[in-house]
Amino acid sequence: MATTSVVAASMALIAPAHADPATTPVAGDIVGVGSDTSMYALTYLANGNAGVAGYNAGKGPGSQLVSFDAKTVDAAGTQTNSATVVLRAGTAAVTRPNGSGDGKKALYGASNNVEVNYARSSSALSATESDAGLVAFPVRQGHHGHGGRPDHQRPHRPDRGPDRRHLQG
């Protein structure tokens, strides 16, 4: 149940990009899924954009920030990315979490996936999500935030990637 939250600066204009990682994440990488509203911002934060280096610059496998796209479609409504994703090397493919709700569900309850460290969400937490221990960290005015569990409510899982304690300092 290793989850964490990532705070990103909002971007005014965001053009389409390739948000799925070029390689399969490994243990130690910080893996996120969820909302299409913020997927490009997290990809740019991780990989950089327009000549500006991202978090992953100079980092190797096991220390990277990873953001999987939500479902993307073309003008005809045809899905343009895969229906499944492999969240970490050595794990089976899962249905691509699509949207805020699917992203947050990946962090708790029956849908909990221990390979997911954070969720991108453009919706406020429901009472059920709050009761389950999810917390939101707004990154811009409005209801945009990234869900995660507080450190004290989850064990550290070194085999599943760093938690927020490793991101601070």
Side-chain angles (χ1 to χ4, degrees):
M1 288 195 218
T3 58
T4 191
S5 298
V6 176
V7 178
S10 70
M11 299 180 155
L13 295 173
I14 297 175
H18 53 85
D20 281 348
T23 60
T24 304
V26 298
D29 288 333
I30 305 164
V31 176
V33 298
S35 175
D36 64 338
T37 306
S38 57
M39 68 186 182
Y40 299 121
L42 262 292
T43 296
Y44 294 161
L45 176 68
N47 300 326
N49 185 52
V52 176
Y55 175 86
N56 294 337
K59 291 182 172 48
S63 61
Q64 296 187 3
L65 174 62
V66 177
S67 179
F68 282 94
D69 268 348
K71 178 180 172 181
T72 57
V73 295
D74 61 19
T78 304
Q79 186 167 351
T80 58
N81 55 4
S82 64
T84 61
V85 293
V86 176
L87 296 170
R88 260 184 235 278
T91 65
V94 297
T95 300
R96 179 182 296 274
N98 185 42
S100 298
D102 282 357
K104 291 186 288 186
K105 286 177 186 173
L107 293 175
Y108 78 98
S111 301
N112 180 50
N113 187 321
V114 297
E115 306 303 340
V116 176
N117 300 106
Y118 71 94
R120 301 180 311 268
S121 179
S122 57
S123 61
L125 294 176
S126 69
T128 301
E129 292 163 346
S130 292
D131 290 347
L134 294 182
V135 293
F137 296 89
V139 295
R140 57 167 274 181
Q141 189 174 21
H143 296 291
H144 294 76
H146 299 278
R149 290 188 193 91
D151 285 335
H152 68 278
Q153 292 184 348
R154 61 184 167 74
H156 173 57
R157 297 275 310 270
D159 61 321
R160 301 293 186 213
D163 63 18
R164 186 172 53 222
R165 293 175 292 236
H166 292 101
L167 297 174
Q168 296 173 339

